[in-house]
Amino acid sequence: MSGLEEDLAAARAQAQGASSVVLVEGHSDREAVLAMADRHGRDLAAEGVVVAAMGGVTNTGHFAEALGPHGLGLPLSGLYDAAERGDVHRGLLQAGLAGKCSRTGLAARGFHECDADLEDELIRAVGTRRLLELVQAEGEGRGFATFRRQPAQRDRPLHACLHRFIGTRSGRKIRYGRLLVEALGPNPAPEPLEALLHGLGTRVRNADV
């Protein structure tokens, strides 16, 4: 069994009895969605919402077929990067979910576009000063300073350097997916994340519904 087949089998098993599925590219995006739900006092698992990391946007069609109308028949929503709009649209068409290949067309289907990606949205929302404090608090200040002295990074804006630094290791990227959301404080959250959570309803943890 291939890695994709294993991921699909795990997603199908997790989605049995679920009410809906959120499709995201990777585990860092999944952590950010779960952290955003926590920020709103929501427990997505208790609501029957599964957040599935697809291991790459090119797998959208496979996951949408397995979990959407051709498979388990569950409502689907998700996040995607601006440059990947076409891949997401083709994947949804493959699964029998028609719609326009536009930002608004995909949003109507519950798929919200990040510009340029979710990490970029979160860095802009948190701010570079706060993120530098966060990097220091995580014990990575010296590592970032060394990274920024590399020839390829010296002339890049601080925002771009921080974005690249977060993505240089898989484990770091996953960890910062949650940390960036938690660091938002009173700052407004990125619109795609807010729109995604709003589309999943307004059920609050421990509330009677």
Side-chain angles (χ1 to χ4, degrees), residues 19-86:
S19 60
S20 67
V21 176
V22 176
L23 299 178
V24 294
E25 181 174 358
H27 291 283
S28 63
D29 297 331
R30 182 176 186 274
E31 283 300 310
V33 171
L34 295 176
M36 183 60 65
D38 290 342
R39 176 180 165 97
H40 284 275
R42 297 177 60 179
D43 183 342
L44 295 185
E47 296 178 30
V49 178
V50 171
V51 184
M54 299 184 293
V57 72
T58 55
N59 292 329
T60 299
H62 298 292
F63 275 79
E65 278 200 293
L67 304 173
H70 294 168
L72 296 183
L74 295 170
L76 303 177
S77 58
L79 296 170
Y80 65 94
D81 301 344
E84 297 168 345
R85 184 189 300 165

Side-chain angles (χ1 to χ4, degrees), residues 104-139:
T104 54
L106 287 172
R109 277 281 176 203
F111 286 78
H112 302 280
E113 183 171 299
C114 298
D115 188 17
D117 58 24
L118 184 53
E119 287 80 19
D120 186 72
E121 294 261 9
L122 284 167
I123 292 170
R124 282 188 278 115
V126 168
T128 54
R129 178 181 296 181
R130 178 70 185 95
L131 181 50
L132 280 173
E133 293 173 351
L134 185 61
V135 169
Q136 290 283 354
E138 288 296 300

Side-chain angles (χ1 to χ4, degrees), residues 137-151:
E138 288 296 300
E140 297 190 301
R142 182 176 296 179
F144 176 68
T146 300
F147 174 80
R148 202 176 183 198
R149 287 196 296 268
Q150 294 177 2

